Coordinates of all heavy atoms in Angstrom, one line a residue:
Y783 N 65.6 -3.4 -61.5 CA 65.8 -2.2 -60.8 C 66.3 -2.5 -59.4 O 65.9 -3.6 -58.9 CB 64.5 -1.3 -60.6 CG 64.0 -0.6 -61.9 CD1 63.2 -1.3 -62.8 CD2 64.5 0.6 -62.2 CE1 62.7 -0.7 -63.9 CE2 63.9 1.3 -63.4 CZ 63.1 0.6 -64.2 OH 62.6 1.2 -65.4
S784 N 67.1 -1.6 -58.9 CA 67.4 -1.7 -57.4 C 66.6 -0.7 -56.7 O 66.2 0.4 -57.3 CB 68.9 -1.5 -57.1 OG 69.7 -2.5 -57.8
Q785 N 66.3 -0.8 -55.4 CA 65.6 0.2 -54.7 C 66.3 0.3 -53.3 O 66.7 -0.6 -52.7 CB 64.1 -0.1 -54.5 CG 63.4 1.0 -53.7 CD 61.9 1.0 -54.0 OE1 61.4 0.2 -54.6 NE2 61.3 2.1 -53.5
V786 N 66.4 1.6 -52.9 CA 67.0 1.9 -51.6 C 65.9 2.7 -50.8 O 65.4 3.7 -51.2 CB 68.2 2.8 -51.7 CG1 68.9 3.1 -50.4 CG2 69.3 2.1 -52.6
V787 N 65.6 2.2 -49.6 CA 64.6 2.8 -48.7 C 65.3 3.3 -47.5 O 65.9 2.4 -46.8 CB 63.4 1.9 -48.4 CG1 62.4 2.7 -47.5 CG2 62.7 1.4 -49.6
V788 N 65.4 4.5 -47.2 CA 66.3 5.1 -46.2 C 65.4 5.9 -45.1 O 64.5 6.6 -45.5 CB 67.3 6.1 -46.7 CG1 68.2 6.6 -45.7 CG2 68.1 5.3 -47.9
D789 N 65.7 5.6 -43.8 CA 65.1 6.4 -42.8 C 65.8 7.7 -42.8 O 67.0 7.8 -42.6 CB 65.3 5.7 -41.4 CG 64.6 4.4 -41.3 OD1 63.5 4.3 -41.8 OD2 65.1 3.5 -40.6
V790 N 65.0 8.8 -42.8 CA 65.6 10.1 -42.7 C 66.2 10.3 -41.4 O 65.8 9.6 -40.4 CB 64.6 11.3 -43.0 CG1 64.1 11.2 -44.4 CG2 63.5 11.3 -42.0
R791 N 67.2 11.2 -41.2 CA 67.9 11.4 -39.9 C 66.9 11.6 -38.8 O 65.9 12.3 -39.0 CB 69.0 12.5 -40.0 CG 68.5 13.9 -40.1 CD 69.6 14.9 -39.8 NE 70.7 14.6 -40.7 CZ 72.0 14.8 -40.4 NH1 72.3 15.3 -39.2 NH2 73.0 14.6 -41.3
G792 N 67.2 11.0 -37.6 CA 66.4 11.2 -36.5 C 65.1 10.3 -36.4 O 64.3 10.4 -35.5
T793 N 64.9 9.4 -37.5 CA 63.7 8.6 -37.5 C 64.2 7.2 -37.8 O 65.3 6.9 -38.2 CB 62.8 9.0 -38.6 OG1 63.3 8.7 -39.9 CG2 62.4 10.5 -38.5
G794 N 63.3 6.2 -37.5 CA 63.7 4.8 -37.8 C 65.0 4.4 -37.1 O 65.2 4.7 -35.9
F795 N 65.9 3.7 -37.8 CA 67.1 3.3 -37.2 C 68.2 4.3 -37.5 O 69.4 4.0 -37.2 CB 67.5 1.9 -37.7 CG 66.5 0.8 -37.4 CD1 66.5 -0.4 -38.0 CD2 65.6 1.0 -36.3 CE1 65.6 -1.4 -37.7 CE2 64.7 0.1 -36.0 CZ 64.7 -1.2 -36.7
S796 N 67.9 5.4 -38.1 CA 69.0 6.4 -38.5 C 69.4 7.3 -37.3 O 68.5 7.6 -36.4 CB 68.5 7.3 -39.6 OG 68.5 6.6 -40.8
Q797 N 70.6 7.7 -37.2 CA 71.1 8.6 -36.1 C 70.6 10.0 -36.4 O 70.1 10.3 -37.4 CB 72.6 8.5 -36.1 CG 73.2 7.2 -35.7 CD 74.7 7.2 -35.8 OE1 75.3 8.2 -36.2 NE2 75.4 6.1 -35.3
G798 N 70.9 10.9 -35.4 CA 70.6 12.3 -35.6 C 69.3 12.7 -35.1 O 68.6 12.0 -34.5
E799 N 69.0 14.0 -35.2 CA 67.8 14.7 -34.8 C 66.9 14.9 -36.1 O 67.4 15.5 -37.0 CB 68.1 15.9 -34.0 CG 66.8 16.7 -33.5 CD 67.1 17.9 -32.8 OE1 68.2 17.9 -32.1 OE2 66.3 18.8 -32.8
W800 N 65.7 14.5 -36.0 CA 64.8 14.7 -37.1 C 64.8 16.2 -37.5 O 64.5 17.1 -36.6 CB 63.4 14.2 -36.8 CG 62.4 14.3 -37.8 CD1 62.6 14.1 -39.2 CD2 61.0 14.6 -37.6 NE1 61.4 14.3 -39.8 CE2 60.5 14.6 -38.9 CE3 60.2 14.9 -36.6 CZ2 59.1 14.9 -39.1 CZ3 58.9 15.2 -36.8 CH2 58.3 15.2 -38.0
D801 N 64.9 16.5 -38.8 CA 65.0 17.8 -39.3 C 63.8 18.3 -40.1 O 63.8 19.4 -40.6 CB 66.3 18.0 -40.2 CG 66.8 19.4 -40.3 OD1 66.7 20.2 -39.3 OD2 67.2 19.8 -41.5
M802 N 62.9 17.4 -40.3 CA 61.6 17.7 -40.9 C 61.7 18.5 -42.1 O 61.2 19.7 -42.2 CB 60.6 18.4 -39.9 CG 59.1 18.2 -40.4 SD 57.9 18.9 -39.2 CE 58.2 20.7 -39.3
L803 N 62.3 17.9 -43.2 CA 62.4 18.5 -44.6 C 63.1 19.8 -44.7 O 63.1 20.4 -45.7 CB 60.9 18.7 -45.1 CG 60.1 17.5 -45.2 CD1 58.6 17.8 -45.4 CD2 60.5 16.7 -46.5
R804 N 63.9 20.1 -43.6 CA 64.7 21.3 -43.7 C 66.1 21.1 -44.3 O 66.3 20.1 -44.9 CB 64.8 21.9 -42.2 CG 63.5 22.3 -41.7 CD 63.6 23.2 -40.4 NE 64.3 22.5 -39.4 CZ 64.6 23.1 -38.2 NH1 64.2 24.3 -38.0 NH2 65.2 22.4 -37.3
A805 N 67.0 22.1 -44.2 CA 68.2 22.1 -45.0 C 69.1 20.9 -44.8 O 69.6 20.4 -45.8 CB 69.0 23.4 -44.7
R806 N 69.3 20.5 -43.6 CA 70.2 19.4 -43.4 C 69.6 18.1 -44.0 O 70.3 17.3 -44.6 CB 70.5 19.2 -41.9 CG 71.4 18.0 -41.5 CD 72.8 18.2 -42.1 NE 73.1 17.2 -43.2 CZ 74.2 17.0 -43.7 NH1 75.3 17.8 -43.3 NH2 74.5 16.1 -44.6
E807 N 68.3 17.9 -43.8 CA 67.7 16.7 -44.4 C 67.8 16.7 -46.0 O 67.9 15.7 -46.6 CB 66.3 16.6 -43.9 CG 65.5 15.3 -44.4 CD 64.2 15.2 -43.9 OE1 64.0 15.1 -42.6 OE2 63.2 15.2 -44.7
Q808 N 67.6 17.9 -46.5 CA 67.7 18.0 -48.0 C 69.1 17.7 -48.4 O 69.3 17.1 -49.5 CB 67.3 19.4 -48.4 CG 65.8 19.7 -48.2 CD 65.4 21.1 -48.6 OE1 65.9 21.7 -49.6 NE2 64.6 21.8 -47.8
Q809 N 70.1 18.1 -47.7 CA 71.5 17.8 -48.0 C 71.7 16.3 -47.9 O 72.4 15.7 -48.7 CB 72.5 18.5 -47.1 CG 73.9 18.2 -47.3 CD 74.4 18.6 -48.7 OE1 73.9 19.6 -49.2 NE2 75.3 17.9 -49.3
D810 N 71.1 15.6 -46.9 CA 71.2 14.2 -46.8 C 70.6 13.5 -48.0 O 71.2 12.6 -48.5 CB 70.4 13.7 -45.6 CG 71.0 14.1 -44.2 OD1 72.2 14.5 -44.2 OD2 70.3 14.0 -43.2
T811 N 69.5 14.0 -48.5 CA 68.9 13.4 -49.7 C 69.8 13.4 -50.8 O 70.0 12.4 -51.6 CB 67.6 14.1 -50.1 OG1 66.7 14.1 -48.9 CG2 66.9 13.5 -51.2
L812 N 70.5 14.6 -51.1 CA 71.4 14.7 -52.2 C 72.6 13.7 -52.0 O 73.1 13.1 -53.0 CB 72.0 16.1 -52.3 CG 70.9 17.2 -52.5 CD1 71.6 18.6 -52.7 CD2 70.1 16.9 -53.8
E813 N 73.1 13.5 -50.8 CA 74.2 12.7 -50.5 C 73.8 11.2 -50.6 O 74.6 10.3 -51.1 CB 74.7 12.9 -49.1 CG 75.4 14.3 -49.0 CD 75.9 14.6 -47.6 OE1 76.1 13.6 -46.8 OE2 76.2 15.8 -47.3
V814 N 72.5 10.9 -50.3 CA 72.1 9.5 -50.5 C 72.0 9.2 -52.0 O 72.3 8.1 -52.5 CB 70.7 9.3 -49.8 CG1 70.1 7.9 -50.3 CG2 70.9 9.3 -48.3
I815 N 71.4 10.2 -52.8 CA 71.4 9.9 -54.2 C 72.8 9.7 -54.8 O 73.0 8.8 -55.6 CB 70.7 11.2 -54.9 CG1 69.2 11.3 -54.5 CG2 70.9 11.2 -56.4 CD1 68.6 12.5 -55.0

């Protein structure tokens, strides 16, 4: 298996402002998938 561990936006080394499970972060998840 391969595994991808991603910092959500606004946390870790990712850019942006943390969106705390809201619409933009959910869209990010779909785009990462």
Side-chain angles (χ1 to χ4, degrees):
Y783 288 86
S784 299
Q785 179 154 11
V786 181
V787 181
V788 181
D789 293 326
V790 300
R791 70 168 54 216
T793 71
F795 297 164
S796 292
Q797 296 175 354
E799 180 179 329
W800 182 36
D801 200 40
M802 199 173 74
L803 295 164
R804 297 193 301 180
R806 180 61 247 189
E807 184 177 298
Q808 293 179 41
Q809 179 62 32
D810 289 347
T811 303
L812 301 181
E813 294 180 16
V814 169
I815 291 171

